Amino acid sequence: MTAPSRHALVPFVSVDNMMKLVLHIGVERMMTELAAEIEADFLRWPLFDKTPRVASHSEVGVIELMPTSDGETYGFKYVNGHPSNMKKGLQTVTAFGLLADVATGYPLMLSEMTLLTALRTAATSAMAAKWLAPKGTRVMAMIGNGAQAEFQALAFKAVCGIAEVRLYDIDPAATAKCARNLAGRGLNVVSCNSAEQAMEGAQIVTTCTADKQYATILTDNMVGSGVHINAVGGDCPGKTELHRDILLRSGIFVEYPPQTRIEGEIQQLEADHPVTELWQVIAGQAEGRSDARQITLFDSVGFAIEDFSALRYVHSRLKDSGLYQNLDMIADPDDPRDLFGMLLRAGAAQAA
Amino acid sequence: MTAPSRHALVPFVSVDNMMKLVLHIGVERMMTELAAEIEADFLRWPLFDKTPRVASHSEVGVIELMPTSDGETYGFKYVNGHPSNMKKGLQTVTAFGLLADVATGYPLMLSEMTLLTALRTAATSAMAAKWLAPKGTRVMAMIGNGAQAEFQALAFKAVCGIAEVRLYDIDPAATAKCARNLAGRGLNVVSCNSAEQAMEGAQIVTTCTADKQYATILTDNMVGSGVHINAVGGDCPGKTELHRDILLRSGIFVEYPPQTRIEGEIQQLEADHPVTELWQVIAGQAEGRSDARQITLFDSVGFAIEDFSALRYVHSRLKDSGLYQNLDMIADPDDPRDLFGMLLRAGAAQAA
């Protein structure tokens, strides 16, 4: 067969190449750079096409498409959430994503996004904490020590200057795994036997648990004044991590209210409970933390713009790194009206 | 690096492999089989998750995501529509698609869909005509001889027994291209100098033009009684092909009314103008053609379920044909909670 044209080829970043890219750049540097990209896109938030994710629910999980566009580049992510997968030895969340050129509709890059989502989620959390947590914070409690935990710890070290992480998980094996993976990376890692113990001396608490139910990872008495709560979780309707009373005492910051009202911690509150959009804090249009005693809550559910920022970051590194392969994904006949002729010529070449 | 696990790999059907698959099966046999798959899915229409496509519009075009699910398998298509692309030597429409397992959310197959969309569009048109066109039809007029034309002609030959196609396009070069490509395939191909000439003796007329404007490819006086109109076009709001008066004389059949009311020919009519859903005709729940003199119109805009059927058809041929490559697309660590450890081990393997 004849070789596909330049337009037919779409760079694809495999899991293997994504791992090589992260190792090449370095986890902490990549977290810092991703946080900067995400922050820059939050700053131009109003110009993005925004829509709640398009979800297909089943009894065991959800498959979602998360599109957005800045008018020049279009991006979307495919992501699933299946809490029962872990028992089958599968990832709860897997993802891939695509960037395309708005002017032509042609894809620019296809990429794995399971790893990239873990990185962008942690980078977004740390970026939000940079704006909302008390100044000079050095200690973070980390409740839930699953697949996202190490990424969160290293993002907060790189972006917020966290020096100590205090780990707790209902499964001690998860805590041991997390502590092992974080060893020797310049963090003081403390494994704890209870959430209360993990909270000791922490000014930031990150909750990141995955059960699909109304859980109460944090109760009201556990959260003292001045704390910043980074509620990550695997959010969906019917899944929360914080007791409602904590929410009522907190200044609440969200990504995109129409989505967070459905999926976030604030699904427990009235539909008109006041929340602040994080982009407005960054743009100087809304107040962030009001004082040193305020409890701030970043009710994070993950939004398409963060994936867009992460995909653009990876795309900008493709040429230098060479860490991609070209996929023959777009049928591109010499004469665009002659799609059938392309097929005929392929047949003739095959027969020759 | 260590080899990715079985779960990490997603079969990918490139343009080259799709062409090989079509040539291997044969265009007409594939049209017949695709039409049967699509018909079978129309028959179980009520059990599908249905949603209008998710569109991102710009001044020059649109990028759309078209998801659906039958509860066991999930599918979506990415497709763009950029009428100005042709002047740049690019395809107006390009597409790719994905199937996934609803039970786990893991992708089952990624595939090019520019060619596959051309095939499924033609197969859907012919399947609809099998139910709606007058019995014993042998002659089809084909107005618009672009990228979709040959696929339509061969689908109608294979599925409906069409023996003669009468071609017309405002650009004679397009007609010449189409006639050349159809030569020697058992069809009597007649190139015409006007739409009126193309209509002579035709009981089916297929309109398939691409300009993004309210055009009138067919006027009322051109359409006699008993004709079946297959209005394909590159549908979108503001883009139609038929004069409104034809619609008012026709029995109108559609795929998914909420989408067709926005994008199809019937955007010219009142929002409550009666239309029949094609699946109901197939399921015996609604009448098709009422009599030999009725004008029937299949106001086709393309729906996600047709893409789903086509992707499942290709997926069912993967093992036999071997026409795919495996993509390392899903991060799949041995311990699903140890995503970071997978990265660490990749780094250790790299250093070794």
Side-chain angles (χ1 to χ4, degrees):
Chain A
M1 302 230 166
T2 49
S5 84
R6 182 176 59 85
H7 295 301
L9 299 177
V10 178
F12 166 61
V13 182
S14 68
V15 175
D16 187 47
N17 275 325
M18 185 64 78
M19 291 197 291
K20 284 179 175 153
L21 184 68
V22 177
L23 293 165
H24 171 69
I25 295 173
V27 177
E28 290 187 44
R29 187 177 142 208
M30 191 157 167
M31 287 295 188
T32 306
E33 293 178 351
L34 275 174
E37 291 276 343
I38 294 165
E39 188 175 88
D41 282 338
F42 269 62
L43 202 51
R44 60 194 190 112
W45 188 269
L47 68 75
F48 280 89
D49 252 9
K50 287 174 287 290
T51 173
R53 57 186 98 201
V54 182
S56 176
H57 292 278
S58 69
E59 278 176 29
V60 292
V62 63
I63 296 176
E64 299 172 329
L65 299 174
M66 301 168 68
T68 192
S69 163
D70 70 358
E72 287 187 12
T73 308
Y74 170 93
F76 83 88
K77 180 166 82 170
Y78 168 103
V79 59
N80 76 298
H82 284 70
S84 59
N85 270 6
M86 215 178 69
K87 288 170 211 146
K88 305 174 195 164
L90 301 175
Q91 288 286 112
T92 302
V93 174
T94 70
F96 70 91
L98 182 105
L99 285 182
D101 178 14
V102 168
T104 64
Y106 272 50
L108 296 169
M109 183 185 77
L110 178 74
S111 177
E112 88 80 33
M113 285 194 79
T114 309
L115 262 169
L116 191 59
T117 297
L119 290 157
R120 77 86 161 127
T121 300
T124 304
S125 288
M127 186 274 285
K130 197 187 76 174
W131 287 92
L132 300 174
K135 295 293 160 209
T137 298
R138 291 288 171 270
V139 180
M140 175 164 86
M142 182 82 230
I143 316 288
N145 303 151
Q148 172 67 199
E150 298 91 334
F151 296 96
Q152 287 281 336
L154 293 173
F156 276 80
K157 173 173 182 281
V159 176
C160 304
I162 287 294
E164 177 173 315
V165 284
R166 302 176 64 81
L167 306 178
Y168 173 71
D169 194 290
I170 49 168
D171 180 358
T175 303
K177 178 257 339 177
C178 186
R180 197 166 56 239
N181 285 340
L182 289 174
R185 303 194 76 102
L187 274 170
N188 185 28
V189 179
V190 181
S191 299
C192 302
N193 296 317
S194 68
E196 288 77 1
Q197 189 190 348
M199 294 288 289
E200 283 170 21
Q203 295 117 324
I204 296 178
V205 53
T206 290
T207 59
C208 192
T209 62
D211 277 333
K212 191 174 180 173
Q213 60 191 37
Y214 290 105
T216 313
I217 310 301
L218 291 185
T219 52
D220 197 30
N221 63 321
M222 289 165 68
V223 180
S225 68
V227 164
H228 173 68
I229 306 171
N230 172 40
V232 180
D235 289 302
C236 55
K239 159 74 174 63
T240 56
E241 296 182 309
L242 310 182
H243 194 283
R244 188 171 179 275
D245 290 347
I246 299 175
L247 306 185
L248 297 174
R249 289 164 59 207
S250 302
I252 301 173
F253 300 84
V254 304
E255 290 142 314
Y256 182 60
Q259 184 171 298
T260 314
R261 300 259 184 216
I262 297 168
E263 302 174 9
E265 297 298 325
I266 58 172
Q267 66 185 276
Q268 302 180 67
L269 303 181
E270 300 301 310
D272 60 352
H273 188 91
V275 300
T276 304
E277 295 185 53
L278 181 60
W279 76 267
Q280 294 189 303
V281 177
I282 295 168
Q285 296 180 18
E287 189 184 34
R289 167 172 288 275
S290 60
D291 59 68
R293 293 187 52 80
Q294 188 190 28
I295 298 170
T296 48
L297 165 63
F298 178 46
D299 187 3
S300 164
V301 298
F303 190 61
I305 293 174
E306 296 148 24
D307 300 310
F308 178 91
S309 313
L311 284 170
R312 287 224 312 171
Y313 175 84
V314 171
H315 187 249
S316 73
R317 266 69 183 171
L318 282 192
K319 271 190 191 157
D320 278 353
S321 72
L323 292 169
Y324 65 94
Q325 63 201 88
N326 279 320
L327 296 188
D328 164 29
M329 197 158 128
I330 302 300
D332 189 56
D334 300 335
D335 171 357
R337 287 181 308 191
D338 199 9
L339 191 61
F340 192 81
M342 186 177 78
L343 186 64
L344 287 183
R345 285 185 289 280
Q350 211 173 39
Chain B
M1 301 231 167
T2 48
S5 85
R6 182 176 58 85
H7 295 301
L9 299 177
V10 178
F12 166 63
V13 182
S14 66
V15 175
D16 187 47
N17 274 326
M18 185 64 77
M19 291 197 291
K20 284 177 175 153
L21 184 68
V22 177
L23 293 166
H24 172 69
I25 296 172
V27 177
E28 289 186 46
R29 185 176 144 210
M30 190 157 168
M31 287 296 187
T32 305
E33 292 178 353
L34 274 174
E37 290 276 343
I38 294 165
E39 189 175 86
D41 283 338
F42 270 61
L43 202 51
R44 59 194 192 112
W45 188 270
L47 69 73
F48 280 89
D49 252 10
K50 287 173 286 293
T51 173
R53 55 186 98 201
V54 182
S56 176
H57 292 277
S58 68
E59 279 176 28
V60 292
V62 63
I63 296 176
E64 299 172 329
L65 299 173
M66 301 168 67
T68 192
S69 163
D70 70 358
E72 287 186 11
T73 307
Y74 170 94
F76 84 88
K77 179 166 82 169
Y78 168 103
V79 59
N80 75 297
H82 285 69
S84 58
N85 270 6
M86 216 179 68
K87 288 171 211 146
K88 303 173 195 165
L90 301 175
Q91 288 287 110
T92 302
V93 173
T94 70
F96 69 91
L98 183 105
L99 285 182
D101 178 14
V102 168
T104 64
Y106 272 49
L108 296 169
M109 181 186 76
L110 179 74
S111 176
E112 90 79 35
M113 285 194 80
T114 308
L115 262 169
L116 191 59
T117 297
L119 290 156
R120 76 85 161 127
T121 300
T124 303
S125 288
M127 186 274 284
K130 196 187 76 174
W131 288 91
L132 300 174
K135 295 293 159 211
T137 298
R138 291 288 172 270
V139 180
M140 175 164 86
M142 182 81 230
I143 316 288
N145 302 152
Q148 172 67 200
E150 296 92 336
F151 297 96
Q152 288 281 336
L154 294 174
F156 277 80
K157 173 173 183 281
V159 175
C160 304
I162 286 293
E164 176 173 315
V165 283
R166 303 177 62 83
L167 307 178
Y168 173 70
D169 195 291
I170 48 168
D171 180 0
T175 303
K177 177 259 335 178
C178 186
R180 198 166 55 237
N181 286 338
L182 288 174
R185 303 194 78 102
L187 273 170
N188 184 28
V189 179
V190 181
S191 298
C192 302
N193 296 315
S194 68
E196 287 78 1
Q197 189 189 348
M199 295 287 289
E200 283 170 22
Q203 294 116 324
I204 296 179
V205 53
T206 290
T207 58
C208 192
T209 61
D211 278 332
K212 191 175 182 173
Q213 61 191 38
Y214 289 106
T216 311
I217 310 301
L218 291 186
T219 52
D220 196 31
N221 62 320
M222 290 166 67
V223 180
S225 67
V227 164
H228 174 66
I229 306 171
N230 172 40
V232 181
D235 288 301
C236 56
K239 159 75 174 65
T240 58
E241 296 182 310
L242 309 183
H243 193 283
R244 186 170 182 275
D245 289 348
I246 299 175
L247 307 185
L248 297 175
R249 289 165 59 207
S250 302
I252 302 174
F253 300 84
V254 304
E255 291 141 317
Y256 183 60
Q259 185 171 297
T260 314
R261 299 260 184 216
I262 295 168
E263 302 173 9
E265 296 298 326
I266 59 171
Q267 66 186 277
Q268 301 179 70
L269 303 181
E270 299 302 309
D272 60 353
H273 188 92
V275 300
T276 303
E277 295 185 53
L278 180 60
W279 76 267
Q280 294 188 304
V281 176
I282 295 168
Q285 296 180 19
E287 189 184 35
R289 166 172 289 274
S290 61
D291 60 68
R293 293 188 51 81
Q294 188 189 29
I295 298 171
T296 49
L297 166 63
F298 179 44
D299 187 3
S300 164
V301 299
F303 190 61
I305 292 174
E306 296 148 23
D307 300 310
F308 178 91
S309 313
L311 284 169
R312 288 224 310 173
Y313 175 84
V314 171
H315 187 250
S316 73
R317 266 69 183 170
L318 281 191
K319 272 189 189 156
D320 278 353
S321 71
L323 292 170
Y324 65 95
Q325 64 201 87
N326 279 320
L327 296 187
D328 164 29
M329 199 159 126
I330 302 300
D332 189 56
D334 299 336
D335 172 356
R337 288 181 308 191
D338 199 9
L339 191 60
F340 192 81
M342 186 178 76
L343 186 64
L344 288 183
R345 285 186 290 280
Q350 211 174 40

